[in-house]
Amino acid sequence: MEVNPPKQEHLLALKVMRLTKPTLFTNIPVTCEEKDLPGDLFNQLMKDDPSTVNGAEILMLGEMLTLPQNFGNIFLGETFSSYISVHNDSSQVVKDILVKADLQTSSQRLNLSASSGAVAELKPDCCIDDVIHHEVKEIGTHILVCAVSYATQSGEKMYFRKFFKFQVLKPLDVKTKFYNAESDLSSVTDEVFLEAQIQNITNSPMFMEKVSLEPSIMYNVAELNSVNQAGECISTFGSRAYLQPMDTRQYLYCLKPKKEFAEKAGIIKGVTVIGKLDIVWKTNLGERGRLQTSQLQRMAPGYGDVRLSLEAVPDTVNLEEPFHITCKITNCSSERTMDLVLEMCNTNSIHWCGISGRQLGKLHPSSSLCLALTLLSSVQGLQSVSGLRLTDTFLKRTYEYDDIAQVCVVSSAIKMEN
């Protein structure tokens, strides 16, 4: 019968402990009224309890701190810290000790050891200590692999390793929405509003230290999360920037194309990169976490080859009295020159004043021209400006523009009274 040799015991012991901040000690207050059988016994015991707050003994939260009792949760964006200790439990001097710590994720293996050199010798009851840090950037299963190699006094090479598996959880749920500016004025047509919804999906409150948008090279950004009161900027979320578990907060940003990009018609077309969100938070005792989203992209509105926008339009006009608007026509093509003809078609309420079918001349690629037009309305109320047609004589292609603006038409007598 074959007999397996006994497993040799190692001379060194490996201990690994995660480094986290302690938590506030909590107790369950037990009290009763004086007329009950225990009388004042429970109250006196709570006053004598060193873990309670003097003068507020019935509060669950005490003044003492509790060391972590388990591994706890690790969230994406936090820094994972661990203490590694190799202790010589034997009575021999161990030589050439090499301690290596690797972190295995679903996509890569990272070396976290502070030093790669071997320790010449380790005497009995002595230890080698190391602290490793790693900013967690992936969710899912992580495995901390700690390997120890050494040589005994007889020169025998020994090797062992231990595995520590843990899960990295998602701390925040981030959703983004893009809104194009509703105004048709050219000064704001290319504005983009970004709404970021951030939800705390952990089981503890967070202090939101910073939520900012880092724009791409094409845009300037303005944060719309504060109001100006008496010359002081005050956050719309109040003075306490805490986000309770499962609570959601909405942040709003306005992005405008930089001048050098806005002047080049057609460059902000199709899918454009807006930027990325940078989120920094702190948990109960100041543990810091940080997340950066991937580059946010939005589909820019398509204007076709020719874009028509309004430079100026009145809000209120008089009934049956002419008023003026200023249009801006842009050739969005980067290669082709256009020869445009303007036609003005009357609607039931809006009537154009001027010559329809007039030549606007040639419009070179990525260039614009401004055009002043006159019209009047024969119907009161909120009226839509429609009926403009641009025809490219080179391609025999007609571009129709309806509902380009709205004006409020009132009687001249009503306007004078106002």
Side-chain angles (χ1 to χ4, degrees):
M1 186 176 77
E2 183 180 357
V3 178
N4 294 324
K7 186 177 180 181
Q8 184 176 4
E9 292 187 1
H10 286 281
L11 305 179
L12 302 182
L14 172 66
K15 295 181 180 180
V16 177
M17 182 178 66
R18 183 191 172 195
L19 297 179
T20 58
K21 294 199 174 179
T23 57
L24 290 171
F25 178 79
T26 58
N27 53 27
I28 301 177
V30 180
T31 183
C32 64
E33 297 182 2
E34 292 183 358
K35 62 182 180 180
D36 293 335
L37 183 61
D40 195 41
L41 177 63
F42 290 154
N43 294 334
Q44 189 60 43
L45 288 174
M46 286 194 299
K47 289 181 180 180
D48 296 338
D49 189 345
S51 65
T52 58
V53 179
N54 188 21
E57 291 82 7
I58 60 174
L59 293 179
M60 292 183 62
L61 214 58
E63 295 180 322
M64 293 188 174
L65 298 176
T66 305
L67 293 176
Q69 303 299 307
N70 50 46
F71 193 80
N73 294 324
I74 299 179
F75 293 100
L76 183 69
E78 294 182 344
T79 299
F80 168 70
S81 300
S82 183
Y83 167 71
I84 299 175
S85 178
V86 177
H87 186 267
N88 187 353
D89 291 342
S90 69
S91 58
Q92 305 178 25
V93 176
V94 179
K95 299 181 179 180
D96 299 330
I97 306 97
L98 181 62
V99 182
K100 186 178 180 182
D102 292 339
L103 186 64
Q104 177 70 54
T105 69
S106 58
S107 63
Q108 58 183 335
R109 189 182 183 103
L110 303 169
N111 180 21
L112 304 183
S113 300
S115 61
S116 57
V119 178
E121 65 176 22
L122 186 63
K123 296 180 180 180
D125 291 329
C126 293
C127 60
I128 300 173
D129 300 323
D130 191 11
V131 176
I132 57 174
H133 304 280
H134 173 67
E135 184 178 347
V136 182
K137 298 180 180 179
E138 296 182 40
I139 60 174
T141 303
H142 288 55
I143 302 175
L144 179 63
V145 183
C146 296
V148 180
S149 63
Y150 62 96
T152 63
Q153 282 185 336
S154 61
E156 182 181 2
K157 298 292 184 179
M158 304 294 290
Y159 175 84
F160 70 94
R161 58 181 179 171
K162 288 186 178 182
F163 300 88
F164 304 89
K165 182 186 293 187
F166 59 92
Q167 294 288 331
V168 175
L169 307 177
K170 185 179 177 182
L172 299 171
D173 186 21
V174 181
K175 298 178 181 178
T176 57
K177 295 181 181 179
F178 289 106
Y179 302 93
N180 297 315
E182 295 182 358
S183 175
D184 287 312
L185 298 180
S186 63
S187 59
V188 294
T189 299
D190 290 325
E191 284 185 358
V192 180
F193 290 92
L194 170 64
E195 176 191 343
Q197 298 179 357
I198 300 177
Q199 183 182 24
N200 176 9
I201 56 177
T202 69
N203 55 6
S204 60
M206 289 182 176
F207 173 77
M208 305 305 291
E209 184 174 296
K210 184 182 77 167
V211 179
S212 62
L213 177 64
E214 298 179 1
S216 64
I217 59 172
M218 299 173 61
Y219 290 92
N220 291 318
V221 64
E223 293 193 11
L224 304 178
N225 305 308
S226 60
V227 292
N228 195 324
Q229 293 184 358
E232 182 180 358
C233 286
I234 300 177
S235 172
T236 55
F237 307 112
S239 58
R240 300 185 182 276
Y242 291 100
L243 192 59
Q244 297 296 333
M246 303 313 295
D247 279 0
T248 301
R249 184 172 290 176
Q250 294 168 306
Y251 295 84
L252 187 62
Y253 304 90
C254 178
L255 296 109
K256 296 182 181 180
K258 294 181 180 178
K259 187 176 180 181
E260 57 266 30
F261 295 103
E263 290 177 348
K264 299 177 182 179
I267 196 169
I268 307 180
K269 294 175 68 176
V271 178
T272 56
V273 175
I274 295 297
K276 57 184 177 181
L277 286 170
D278 187 14
I279 306 170
V280 180
W281 71 90
K282 290 182 178 178
T283 52
N284 292 337
L285 288 174
E287 298 97 331
R288 189 184 182 94
R290 181 182 181 184
L291 279 181
Q292 279 192 331
T293 64
S294 56
Q295 290 288 349
L296 303 175
Q297 295 182 336
R298 51 90 68 155
M299 178 64 73
Y303 301 109
D305 294 333
V306 181
R307 174 182 172 188
L308 185 141
S309 56
L310 293 184
E311 291 282 287
V313 60
D315 296 326
T316 306
V317 298
N318 289 337
L319 179 67
E320 297 181 348
E321 290 186 10
F323 62 93
H324 306 283
I325 64 173
T326 302
C327 298
K328 183 179 180 181
I329 300 171
T330 304
N331 181 357
C332 295
S333 173
S334 59
E335 300 175 352
R336 190 168 57 84
T337 299
M338 298 181 178
D339 190 11
L340 299 176
V341 175
L342 175 66
E343 295 182 4
M344 300 177 291
C345 305
N346 294 333
T347 64
N348 292 332
S349 59
I350 294 294
H351 306 275
W352 296 92
C353 304
I355 301 174
S356 180
R358 61 170 164 159
Q359 295 277 347
L360 298 182
K362 294 182 179 181
L363 191 60
H364 296 287
S366 302
S367 60
S368 306
L369 64 87
C370 290
L371 195 63
L373 300 175
T374 304
L375 57 162
L376 61 85
S377 177
S378 58
V379 180
Q380 293 189 59
L382 189 64
Q383 304 299 329
S384 179
V385 177
S386 302
L388 284 180
R389 305 290 182 263
L390 288 173
T391 302
D392 183 5
T393 58
F394 288 154
L395 296 182
K396 305 299 182 184
R397 183 181 297 171
T398 300
Y399 305 90
E400 299 181 356
Y401 299 96
D402 295 317
D403 298 323
I404 59 175
Q406 289 182 327
V407 292
C408 182
V409 182
V410 299
S411 171
S412 57
I414 296 176
K415 191 169 184 179
M416 288 178 63
E417 289 178 2
N418 292 336

